[in-house]
Structures are given as structure tokens and as C-alpha cells.
Amino acid sequence: MIYARVAGIGSYLPEKVVTNKDLEKMMDTSDEWIRERTGIKRRHVAADDETTSSLGLEAARRAMDAAGVEPDDIDLIVVGTATPDKVFPSVACMIQRRLGVRGAPAFDVHAACSGFVYGLDLANRYIQTGGAKTALVIGAETLSRITNWEDRGTAVLFGDGAGCVVLQASDEPGILATHIHADGEYEELLHVPAGVSLGYEETRAGRAFIEMNGNAVFKRAVATFDNIARETIRDLDGEIGDIDWFVPHQANMRIIKAAAKRLGMPMERVIATVDEHANTSGASIPLALDQAVRDGRIKRGDTLMFAAFGAGFTWGSTMLKY
Ligand code: UT7
């Protein structure tokens, strides 16, 4: 049996930090409200000369260093992003060029906050069927570019960043199961009502921003994390106790706590970094993973569960031996 195993992880956060106190000066909000309702303390925001591809490139370089792989080893690049630099080419192709990788397939997956787990699902299938031996799966976002800084209901929630894992074919267990889903029925609950085919009117008018029905998304996210985690565990004939670390999408600390409670997973075994980088969409899981690996909580041999939920709606999970 061929497994896709995590050979290395890397992440990158822009240098500029915007705290809740900074936001207090920009809009009618308070540090207390933001902490209480979301658990967020600060978020990183890309500089004018930084883009999704530049953040993703740095994360990829760090992950490749950690894995000890060279550009010539890479035979697949998948980027989960909802905020590409350009309409085309893809962020994956831009990163490929800058890494000096030639010829390997490179493409973006647009699944909003679930982009990274969608990417893992795809790369896992490539590796298991012999289509690739060493893949980069990147989650990278510059959500600050689609944030309405005058809307306190959304502006306090998002941040920029990138994370990357190097997956390699191995005889030793790596990814054990992946599941991805979507239901387009809920399009208007979380969307940016502007874009290419809709025309650039909204974009030109400076209104290409995230719009969200926060309450409805909140409830759906909690229920979905529970369902997707149970689906994955059932598939493996396992139980919740088999998971050493739950690494959920980082949108809101209350969502993470509520999901952990429903799953019967103690918070000591949950990786939560939303306080430090807010919701970075497709980048949030690899950012959280990288931090927990670097601070020594997650160790080789641990069993991990990733769970994501986002616009679409899209959702998915990955269970793996690290
Ligand atoms: O990545 C997946 C997508 N995103 C999510 O998963 C996010 C899901 N939703 C959420 O995280 C939460 O619903 C929010 C954090 C967005 C909102 O929390 P809430 O507890 O659902 O608050 P609410 O929307 O019911 O608003 C409560 C009050 C409102 O005032 P009134 O109408 O009760 O007077 C809002 O106007 O809080 C007000 N409010 C704020 N006050 C201060 C909303 N945003 C702010 C703010 N500062 N930034």
C-alpha cells in the first residue's frame, strides 16, 4: 500500500500585525467584543508588495527545507486559495515558476476555507495511484484584499497567511482517510458578490468584499465539524479517542470549542491558533499545524484530524499519521 506521508511543513505570516486595539481606532468595535465573540486577538495583514503567491512561495520554501526536498523532486503543486493574485495564471503556476520547478502539474483549488483539505484529498489520490511521488499542498490567502474595512461585522474576523505541507509517497502510514463535500444551496450565506463573469462593476466600485450571515454560518460550521469528524472515524472503524490532535479550520474560538464539545474531544487535544492569526481561510489549518509541530505538541507518530468548513458551502476532513 502506498501512503501519502507528510515529509515537511512550513508556514508564513506577513510581518504587519493589526491588533483589536488598532481596529478600535478604525471602526465601532472593541477588543473585548472581538475576544469574547471570536477569541481573536490579532491578525497579520499583507504589505502592499505581498500577494497570495508570495506568501505561498515562502511557506513552500520553508516546507521544502523541513522535508529536505529540492525543486526537481516536486511532481505536483496544488494551491487552495480563494484570493489568487490574478484571474490567471494560477497561484500554483506562479509559485512553480519562482521555485524553479519545471513541467509538473500545478493548479489551484477554489474551495474557500476548505481549499487546503480539498488539496490534500487530491494530492493523496495522485500519490496513492502513482501519479506523483512528492507533492506540495499549499493553503495561501490575502483575505485583507476582499475585506470591507468599514464593516465591523466581517473586518475583525479575517487575516492573511500561508502554509504548506510536502507530501511524499511512503510505505509507512500517512494519510489514512480524506472526505470532501459541497452543497451549493447556501451560496448567499457567505460570498463575495463580485468577480470575473459577473462583471467588474462591483470590483471597480470598491465593493468586492466578503459578505456573511454570521449566525447561520456559525451554526452550520459547528454541526459540520462534528459530522465530518464522525464520518471519517466511522470509515476507519475507529473512535474519537484514536485522535491525538484535532486541527480544525480556525474561524472562531467559539466554533472550535463547540465542535470539540460535541465530539467529546478535550480542548487540551485541540490546536487553536485563531487568537494569533484570525481566519485565514485555506491557510488556517497548515498555519495551525506548523505552529503545533514547531512548539513540540504534535510529534511524529501522532494521529491527527483536520476538519474544514467554508463558503460554497464546502467542507472536508483528513485523518493522518504524522
Ligand atoms: O470560515 C468560515 C466562515 N466564517 C465563520 O465560520 C464565521 C461564523 N460566524 C461567526 O463567527 C459569528 O457569527 C460572528 C463572530 C461573525 C458574530 O458573532 P455573533 O455572536 O453571531 O454576533 P451577532 O452577529 O449576532 O451580533 C451581535 C451584536 C450585533 O448587535 P445587536 O444587533 O445585537 O445590537 C452586532 O451589530 O454584535 C454586533 N457586532 C459587533 N459589535 C462590536 C457585530 N460585529 C461587531 C463588532 N464589534 N466587530
Side-chain angles (χ1 to χ4, degrees), residues 113-114 116 139-141 161-163 225 247-251 256 271 273-274 277-291 307-309:
C113 299
S114 309
F116 179 72
E141 303 280 10
F225 281 146
V247 190
H249 168 51
Q250 310 285 314
I256 294 172
I271 306 298
T273 51
V274 65
H277 53 70
N279 182 349
T280 56
S281 187
S284 88
I285 290 177
L287 273 166
L289 176 67
D290 190 33
Q291 182 162 323
F309 177 82

Side-chain angles (χ1 to χ4, degrees), residues 117-233:
V117 292
Y118 264 61
L120 286 179
D121 181 89
L122 286 167
N124 182 47
R125 289 172 200 274
Y126 265 84
I127 288 175
Q128 283 195 323
T129 53
K133 284 201 162 55
T134 305
L136 297 182
V137 181
I138 301 167
E141 303 280 10
T142 44
L143 293 173
S144 61
R145 306 272 153 80
I146 52 166
T147 296
N148 180 356
W149 293 100
E150 288 173 9
D151 172 22
R152 68 176 184 170
T154 53
V156 303
L157 304 174
F158 301 104
D160 300 335
C164 174
V165 298
V166 177
L167 287 183
Q168 270 190 319
S170 169
D171 298 335
E172 283 179 54
I175 292 181
L176 305 171
T178 62
H179 290 90
I180 55 173
H181 298 279
D183 186 346
E185 195 60 37
Y186 303 94
E187 181 181 342
E188 286 80 16
L189 290 183
L190 177 53
H191 65 152
V192 177
V196 184
S197 192
L198 270 179
Y200 279 105
E201 303 278 305
E202 298 290 313
T203 314
R204 284 202 195 94
R207 289 193 298 264
F209 298 134
I210 300 166
E211 291 182 7
M212 176 170 67
N213 178 333
N215 274 307
V217 175
F218 189 106
K219 286 182 196 135
R220 197 80 196 183
V222 173
T224 301
F225 281 146
D226 187 21
N227 291 339
I228 188 81
R230 288 184 194 280
E231 177 187 21
T232 307
I233 287 162

